[in-house]
Amino acid sequence: IHSPTNAPTSMSNHLALITKTTSLIAAGDIVGAESALAELADTEGDNALMVVLDQLEPKDILAVMREYDDSKASVVNLLVTPEQFARAMVLEKQYKDLTHTHLRNMVNAVVFRDDADPVEFLNAIGNLEGGAEALANYFAEKWSRLEAFARTGTFDATEDYGPTLSDDELLASGYVQPRVELDEVADGDWMQMAWLLRYECRDLFIETLLVLRAKARAFDLGLDDAEEPAEEDDGKFETSETDRGKATPAARVSDEESAI
């Protein structure tokens, strides 16, 4: 991606860049923060940027990644490691993005980037507390389709009928053989993610579905803090500022989130 120049890397320069990046994010200038990180990669190489990313707070990495724009490549999305990404991803729920648009775009851009092993990212996510919840949010608007996939092993809409597997049946269904091959659903989106989860990360797939079911039950009970898994195009949610392409800087994140 970027080759280092002959300019020596400087820890003091890196610390200054970290301070600058954090300040820009706090001020809401996400584009400026990403530009500063990209400039480091241009001048000192990708390894220098990776060192800086490892020292940035996960919430700051998240602030840059979630403003993903598919019209241009993001150097952060291209270089973030599975562990760094997972630590950031589990914080995404704090943005209260009820449509999860930013989450899905961010996950797809990173997990399905050209040089990535998606399973490495999924394992890193699954190893963290909150990982299954983050994935449940990713699939929230596809919940019924995910349930159908668990039951039938296919995404064919004509087979989307039948009783939902009980929790016990779901746990017992972990090691069935695929009915569709990965290359049939390699869309760089939720179907490929679902396939990889079910057949490469089976325990995490089951845990994610159980979290979705728990969210649905909480919503049915009227619990205000539950994020319900919305059906597609059901019109339940109004679009917040974060879904209109506006940055959600650390300055607008709650004190609790800033303390993370």
Side-chain angles (χ1 to χ4, degrees):
I1 302 173
H2 299 92
S3 299
T5 66
N6 292 328
T9 59
S10 167
M11 183 57 68
S12 62
N13 287 345
H14 291 175
L15 292 175
L17 177 61
I18 291 169
T19 300
K20 176 182 179 181
T21 300
T22 302
S23 298
L24 288 169
I25 292 171
D29 188 359
I30 309 299
V31 173
E34 184 175 14
S35 295
L37 295 171
E39 183 178 352
L40 174 66
D42 287 337
T43 57
E44 297 189 22
D46 291 346
N47 288 339
L49 176 56
M50 293 178 75
V51 170
V52 168
L53 290 179
D54 206 40
Q55 297 177 68
L56 279 175
E57 292 289 335
K59 66 182 178 63
D60 292 330
I61 295 177
L62 172 62
V64 175
M65 290 193 303
R66 77 186 303 275
E67 293 305 315
Y68 169 72
D69 179 356
D70 61 6
S71 67
K72 60 183 178 64
S74 164
V75 68
V76 175
N77 287 352
L78 291 173
L79 294 178
V80 67
T81 67
E83 291 73 21
Q84 291 166 347
F85 180 76
R87 289 193 294 268
M89 182 179 171
V90 297
L91 301 179
E92 208 278 341
K93 66 180 181 180
Q94 296 176 351
Y95 279 83
K96 306 300 182 184
D97 174 11
L98 296 183
T99 64
H100 307 296
T101 301
H102 288 268
L103 174 63
R104 287 193 302 276
N105 289 342
M106 177 185 76
V107 170
N108 290 342
V110 174
V111 173
F112 296 122
R113 70 192 188 197
D114 289 342
D115 67 334
D117 178 356
V119 175
E120 286 187 13
F121 281 90
L122 291 175
N123 285 333
I125 294 165
N127 286 337
L128 290 183
E129 181 178 355
E133 182 181 1
L135 285 170
N137 289 336
Y138 171 91
F139 285 109
E141 294 185 351
K142 304 294 183 182
W143 178 39
S144 63
R145 299 292 299 277
L146 200 66
E147 288 282 5
F149 180 55
R151 184 178 68 253
T152 69
T154 179
F155 296 106
D156 187 345
T158 61
E159 297 194 35
D160 279 0
Y161 302 98
T164 298
L165 297 178
S166 69
D167 288 0
D168 289 340
E169 289 171 333
L170 179 63
L171 292 169
S173 71
Y175 291 90
V176 297
Q177 293 299 310
R179 287 190 59 189
V180 296
E181 297 300 322
L182 177 57
D183 58 5
E184 297 179 60
V185 294
D187 59 351
D189 200 354
W190 70 273
M191 284 195 291
Q192 184 174 356
M193 187 76 73
W195 194 101
L196 290 170
L197 277 172
R198 185 175 187 191
Y199 300 118
E200 301 290 342
C201 307
R202 290 173 167 86
D203 291 343
L204 183 56
F205 176 73
I206 292 170
E207 186 178 358
T208 298
L209 258 182
L210 292 177
V211 171
L212 279 166
R213 293 177 180 185
K215 285 177 175 289
R217 286 193 292 268
F219 177 67
D220 289 341
L221 292 173
L223 301 183
D224 291 339
D225 60 349
E227 290 184 47
E228 72 271 27
E231 293 298 332
E232 300 164 80
D233 300 324
D234 61 6
K236 288 181 181 177
F237 298 140
E238 293 185 2
T239 304
S240 66
E241 276 196 348
T242 57
D243 305 319
R244 299 190 185 108
K246 296 183 181 179
T248 307
R252 277 183 271 169
V253 179
S254 70
D255 293 338
E256 177 184 353
E257 295 163 34
S258 298
I260 294 176

